[in-house]
Amino acid sequence: MKKGIIKNVIVTGLISIMAVGLAGCGNSATKKEDTGVLDSIKESGKLVVGLSADYAPYEFHIIENGQDKIVGFDVSLAKEIADELDVELEIKEMDFDALITALPAGKVDMVISGMNPTEKRKKAVDFSDIYYTANHGILVRAEDTDKYTNFSDLDGLKVGAQLGSTQAELASTLIKDANLQLLSNVNNLILELKSGKVDAVVMEVGVAQMAVKNNPELAVGKPVYEETDSGNAIAIAKGNEDLVKIVNGVISRITEDGTMNKYIEEATILSSEAVEE
Ligand code: ARG
């Protein structure tokens, strides 16, 4: 298990290194003012997908044969879409709060990053159909599990959430006078929780479960906020109905034939194994 912790630190380090590396790269998804995004994907032979790879089992880093790799069920879904379009897939890692603006700026062709199609985001971008739904909860230190039964038990405490996420909004509506610590990277939130800098992190339940597998000193807390009218969808720059239609076709095909469930299971296993070897 000690190994797991060390690996996590290595992974977090790699994320930072990658982020620096990416900042220096040029954009391969060019600005799509004249042609639509679909045409430019076909022209370049490449689908550029933006995501924040700090979110197992959706998207996360693993070391495979000594190589850093981004995997997860969002990545498998991205690959299905690239295959459907008959182009290569390029993953571009970004901070979660930079993803939406990357779309109209033409830095990425689509965002697949466990993102909820909120009304606010819909003003800036279009969304595909929902491909996955989940509930939200909290991640706590294992010894504190019984301390918090409701979100209101966190009133006035130090609570972490990802910057720009719906969990950050949830934290500010469900918890009174919370001392909110909003960070760009979920892995850093986990470190803050372990070191006692925050008392809880508002997180999607499935993502919190993965964090616990890799950090046995943590636990998924009791409070659960059920998402009734939301879920996760793919974001695409406005005015690309042709591309949205193709993406929706892929989502419905792989949902109906069970492929999506297989990807979710695979990603769950992979993210638990990532620290066990
Ligand atoms: N579902 C939340 C939202 O849409 C959080 C998603 C965070 N995704 C990530 N890859 N870190 O705001």
Side-chain angles (χ1 to χ4, degrees):
M1 273 310 149
K2 251 200 183 145
K3 238 184 174 181
I5 296 161
I6 293 164
K7 267 212 173 165
N8 242 331
V9 173
I10 295 172
V11 167
T12 312
L14 276 169
I15 291 172
S16 325
I17 293 164
M18 266 204 74
V20 172
L22 284 172
C25 294
N27 301 328
S28 45
T30 44
K31 207 156 173 124
K32 287 98 193 172
E33 265 154 5
D34 313 324
T35 57
V37 176
L38 179 58
D39 286 340
S40 92
I41 292 170
K42 293 229 159 128
E43 237 165 71
S44 64
K46 208 193 293 176
L47 168 68
V48 184
V49 171
L51 50 74
S52 167
D54 55 356
Y55 214 58
Y58 290 82
E59 48 260 332
F60 53 101
H61 286 258
I62 58 164
I63 310 284
E64 198 180 72
N65 304 324
Q67 295 275 336
D68 176 52
K69 207 175 155 192
I70 297 175
V71 295
F73 66 78
D74 275 350
V75 179
S76 306
L77 172 57
K79 183 76 177 75
E80 283 279 349
I81 297 167
D83 288 350
E84 177 76 30
L85 298 168
D86 201 18
V87 293
E88 292 290 306
L89 173 64
E90 182 186 318
I91 297 290
K92 207 174 232 190
E93 187 171 26
M94 298 183 168
D95 282 348
F96 185 74
D97 69 322
L99 289 170
I100 290 283
T101 49
L103 285 167
K107 287 186 185 155
V108 296
D109 298 315
M110 54 184 75
V111 167
I112 313 183
S113 199
M115 186 175 273
N116 293 74
T118 61
E119 289 311 314
K120 198 172 149 202
R121 290 174 181 155
K122 278 186 194 162
K123 286 186 187 141
V125 298
D126 286 340
F127 281 96
S128 70
D129 292 338
I130 301 292
Y131 63 88
Y132 188 74
T133 46
N135 292 329
H136 298 287
I138 56 169
L139 182 67
V140 294
R141 286 179 292 275
E143 68 267 25
D144 292 344
T145 318
D146 295 329
K147 265 198 200 166
Y148 319 115
T149 314
N150 301 301
F151 283 98
S152 58
D153 294 331
L154 290 159
D155 286 356
L157 298 184
K158 278 194 195 140
V159 178
Q162 186 165 38
L163 188 67
S165 70
T166 52
Q167 287 91 356
E169 275 171 36
L170 267 186
S172 58
T173 44
L174 299 176
I175 305 162
K176 265 196 228 102
D177 303 321
N179 182 349
L180 285 186
Q181 310 284 318
L182 303 180
L183 302 185
S184 307
N185 195 293
V186 172
N187 295 307
N188 292 337
L189 287 166
I190 295 172
L191 291 179
E192 295 258 295
L193 179 64
K194 293 208 286 191
S195 66
K197 288 194 187 128
V198 295
D199 300 301
V201 179
V202 178
M203 215 182 249
E204 198 182 292
V205 174
V207 177
Q209 280 164 349
M210 288 297 110
V212 171
K213 283 210 171 147
N214 298 336
N215 301 279
E217 66 273 54
L218 302 180
V220 181
K222 290 178 179 164
V224 172
Y225 178 84
E226 269 181 49
E227 234 173 45
T228 44
D229 57 354
S230 200
N232 298 302
I234 298 175
I236 295 175
K238 279 194 180 291
N240 290 285
E241 287 75 18
D242 48 357
L243 183 57
V244 174
K245 204 167 156 212
I246 294 173
V247 165
N248 284 341
V250 172
I251 291 175
S252 83
R253 170 170 55 80
I254 69 169
T255 304
E256 275 156 33
D257 72 7
T259 306
M260 192 64 202
N261 273 337
K262 192 190 84 191
Y263 288 151
I264 294 166
E265 274 165 36
E266 277 172 6
T268 307
I269 294 168
L270 210 55
S271 98
S272 331
E273 275 175 356
V275 290
E276 306 265 313
E277 5 115 1

